[in-house]
Amino acid sequence: MSDAPLLEVAGLYKSYGAVPVLRGVDLHVGRGECLCIVGPSGSGKSTLLRCLNVLEPIENGRILFEGRDIARSTRREAPEIRRRIGMVFQNFELFRHLSALDNIVLAPQRVKGESLARARERARALLDKVHLPDKADAFPDELSGGQQQRVAIARALAMDPALMLYDEPTSALDPETVGEVLQVMQELAEEGMTSLVVTHEMGFARRAADRVVFMDDGSVVFAAPPETFFGRGADIPDRLTRFLSHLSH
Amino acid sequence: MNFWEFVLHYLSSERFVTAAGMTLLISLCSLAGGMLAGLVVALLQEVRFLPARILAVFYLWIFRGTPVMFQLIFAFNVLPSFGIVLSGFACAVLALSLNEGAYMAEIMRSGIRAVGAGQRQAARALGMRDMQLMRWVVLPQAMRIIVPPIGNQFIGMLKLSAIVSVIAVEELLLVANQAASSNFRYLEALSAAGIYYLAMTTVFMVLQALLEATLRRRGRPMQGGLLGRFLSATADGARVR
């Protein structure tokens, strides 16, 4: 394994029309690292994830993923990059016409060309991994939010991504199902799955993150390991202190 | 012979059976052709390539903007002067398909649009290309949405097919009218034709209800025979509503 980070973002600039959303984001994620991105809403966290998955065009900057600049990939190249990057959405977005198992099977079978038997076998293993071994035949509307989100995680993992992006994965969940989703994410991170998590769950950031990143107003303000991030050191920026104190009230 | 004997005589006569078959065949072929044309036009409208979208709009403009009878007579009487000579049946299916395609396109497009942006994004995030996400994620969901309106279109098509009598295709209404004009037994001949129309539309309404119930079950394996399916389908429908 090389020392180069798996993902390196430099000077990323993005605007919607005249409104800048990301104003020069710098970020790097090493292999096996789990990063949590926190910050007030409107700070550009979700937009950053969408740019990383090539779902949004950017105006300026570089995104090096596995040593390759993906920021300006063409419409032909983008799908190949996305196969290497799993993404989990706030609203799960399971395919509503397919069972849990078939949601996981679809992309490996149709995109990667895996045989149905092999894709099914792996999908069952992934359902075990997200602690839903008996929900293979359930349809999305028969599952709770937390269960749907865990199937969505398994669906993303089925493509064997090198990086997982989570866009506020527990924000749409009932409080009682948040824990089961965070648990699965933490287990994956501990197994060495490189993860980038946009979240408001500070407890999760404290427990699972190798580093926590604070974004505000379209740029990275501060990044540090959790013990420093949530500590009371002199170098904590005022904005972060204010943000964290708002959350605790 | 009394009224019912005449009606029964017509119902079982070879001409009526053949004509009812012709009506059914024209309707089925035109519906299939219309769905195909509609799908192509709907997909053309989703494409980024501007000329494709212009072509689709042009098609809709022509076929929604002129009477279907005009299109039928045009196919039958004008195409031969361009060296395209088609049988009456072929003309009927061509004109009805292309006309139906314009309405099907709108139905299919509304179904395609009804599948949310989030579903497309999730498919894209898995590395699917536009064609793949259309085929595996959008269309299967759109199909469930458009079954009820397509069923209505089909029933409409069965009735609309009567107008192909203007190009002398031996469909049900033309044959009934001809039979009656030879002996002035209009009530009996038209009753027989009406019974055939009602029988065909009824069968398709039932088929449509079965299909809708099946799709609502989202492809779960079926148990039992047709009756079992119908019972579980209706039970399922009741539960959903």
Side-chain angles (χ1 to χ4, degrees):
Chain A
M1 276 207 185
S2 66
D3 291 341
L6 178 68
L7 179 75
E8 192 171 2
V9 181
L12 180 58
Y13 186 94
K14 153 111 197 144
S15 64
Y16 289 115
V19 186
V21 185
L22 299 174
R23 338 167 167 238
V25 173
D26 298 298
L27 189 74
H28 62 93
V29 186
R31 280 176 209 277
E33 245 193 320
C34 174
L35 250 68
C36 284
I37 304 179
V38 303
S41 56
S43 56
K45 309 176 301 275
S46 295
T47 307
L48 173 64
L49 285 202
R50 294 165 49 78
C51 290
L52 298 182
N53 206 11
V54 214
L55 290 167
E56 295 275 355
I58 68 166
E59 269 94 58
N60 221 327
R62 273 189 323 165
I63 304 173
L64 285 180
F65 173 67
E66 299 184 314
R68 171 177 172 203
D69 191 357
I70 62 171
R72 274 165 204 82
S73 41
T74 63
R75 281 175 52 75
R76 279 202 65 73
E77 292 162 341
E80 274 149 40
I81 296 158
R82 294 189 196 118
R83 281 166 216 176
R84 304 279 303 142
I85 303 178
M87 183 139 181
V88 174
F89 300 89
Q90 187 175 344
N91 293 316
F92 338 128
E93 296 296 349
L94 288 183
F95 303 132
R96 281 190 286 271
H97 61 300
L98 298 176
S99 68
L101 191 78
D102 289 340
N103 260 280
I104 304 171
V105 162
L106 183 67
Q109 189 194 2
R110 302 299 176 187
V111 177
K112 256 194 192 169
E114 259 179 35
S115 76
L116 182 61
R118 164 130 182 83
R120 280 213 174 123
E121 187 188 325
R122 294 193 49 230
R124 286 192 190 281
L126 285 168
L127 280 174
D128 282 349
K129 203 179 186 82
V130 299
H131 313 303
L132 292 169
D134 52 345
K135 295 293 182 188
D137 297 324
F139 281 78
D141 59 10
E142 296 166 338
L143 297 171
S144 73
Q147 291 170 332
Q148 287 191 56
Q149 193 61 298
R150 286 186 280 155
V151 174
I153 292 171
R155 177 177 70 174
L157 290 173
M159 290 299 281
D160 286 325
L163 168 68
M164 283 287 280
L165 306 175
Y166 298 90
D167 187 5
E168 302 199 15
T170 57
S171 298
L173 295 179
D174 294 331
E176 65 268 27
T177 66
V178 167
E180 65 197 41
V181 173
L182 294 178
Q183 160 103 32
V184 164
M185 290 164 59
Q186 185 170 356
E187 285 166 9
L188 289 169
E190 280 161 5
E191 284 171 28
M193 183 80 234
T194 313
S195 310
L196 196 49
V197 187
V198 169
T199 186
H200 295 295
E201 298 287 337
M202 295 302 147
F204 175 76
R206 219 183 277 265
R207 281 197 311 276
D210 295 304
R211 277 186 298 141
V212 187
V213 176
F214 176 58
M215 274 184 80
D216 192 16
D217 208 15
S219 58
V220 172
V221 177
F222 188 67
E227 53 274 21
T228 314
F229 192 92
F230 296 105
R232 299 182 182 277
D235 52 347
I236 305 281
D238 288 347
R239 277 198 275 180
L240 175 54
T241 312
R242 271 200 306 272
F243 173 69
L244 291 175
S245 70
H246 272 296
L247 284 183
S248 55
H249 291 314
Chain B
M1 285 203 283
N2 66 20
F3 170 79
W4 283 112
E5 283 169 338
F6 258 111
V7 172
L8 271 177
H9 163 74
Y10 282 138
L11 279 176
S12 57
S13 76
E14 200 189 325
R15 282 196 73 197
F16 270 69
V17 172
T18 313
M22 180 57 95
T23 287
L24 188 63
L25 190 63
I26 288 173
S27 302
L28 284 174
C29 291
S30 304
L31 187 83
M35 284 179 72
L36 194 65
L39 184 61
V40 170
V41 174
L43 291 176
L44 281 179
Q45 288 172 288
E46 297 290 310
V47 167
R48 277 156 214 268
F49 186 55
L50 185 63
R53 296 209 299 267
I54 292 174
L55 185 70
V57 170
F58 181 75
Y59 178 97
L60 294 176
W61 180 63
I62 293 287
F63 285 97
R64 281 196 304 188
T66 57
V68 61
M69 196 169 318
F70 164 87
Q71 295 156 17
L72 196 60
I73 295 172
F74 191 94
F76 193 64
N77 291 320
V78 180
L79 288 186
S81 53
F82 293 101
I84 306 169
V85 183
L86 300 172
S87 68
F89 174 77
C91 282
V93 169
L94 179 71
L96 291 178
S97 292
L98 292 177
N99 182 262
E100 187 63 22
Y103 295 93
M104 261 333 161
E106 291 300 291
I107 291 171
M108 293 203 175
R109 202 161 70 108
S110 68
I112 288 170
R113 289 280 159 93
V115 180
Q119 293 275 301
R120 291 160 202 250
Q121 198 166 82
R124 248 185 225 117
L126 287 165
M128 289 194 202
R129 297 186 181 282
D130 287 350
M131 292 283 278
Q132 290 171 322
L133 86 90
M134 200 41 103
R135 168 69 186 83
W136 301 113
V137 175
V138 177
L139 287 181
Q141 295 186 55
M143 286 306 154
R144 287 162 175 73
I145 298 167
I146 65 181
V147 164
I150 283 188
N152 293 340
Q153 288 301 108
F154 183 73
I155 287 166
M157 175 69 82
L158 263 175
K159 297 179 290 181
L160 183 68
S161 68
I163 72 159
V164 307
S165 58
V166 297
I167 56 171
V169 175
E170 298 252 310
E171 52 69 52
L172 190 54
L173 190 61
L174 180 72
V175 164
N177 210 18
Q178 283 171 345
S181 57
S182 63
N183 59 4
F184 299 100
R185 293 268 179 191
Y186 277 99
L187 179 63
E188 290 81 354
L190 290 180
S191 296
I195 287 168
Y196 268 122
Y197 279 120
L198 280 173
M200 287 192 280
T201 50
T202 304
V203 166
F204 281 97
M205 281 175 200
V206 170
L207 284 178
Q208 182 188 356
L210 281 176
L211 185 58
E212 279 176 40
T214 306
L215 287 177
R216 221 179 282 122
R217 296 156 61 86
R218 288 154 306 192
R220 269 172 269 183
M222 292 292 213
Q223 299 105 24
L226 190 65
L227 181 65
R229 263 187 240 180
F230 180 72
L231 292 176
S232 64
T234 41
D236 204 53
R239 186 168 60 81
V240 169
R241 290 206 185 92

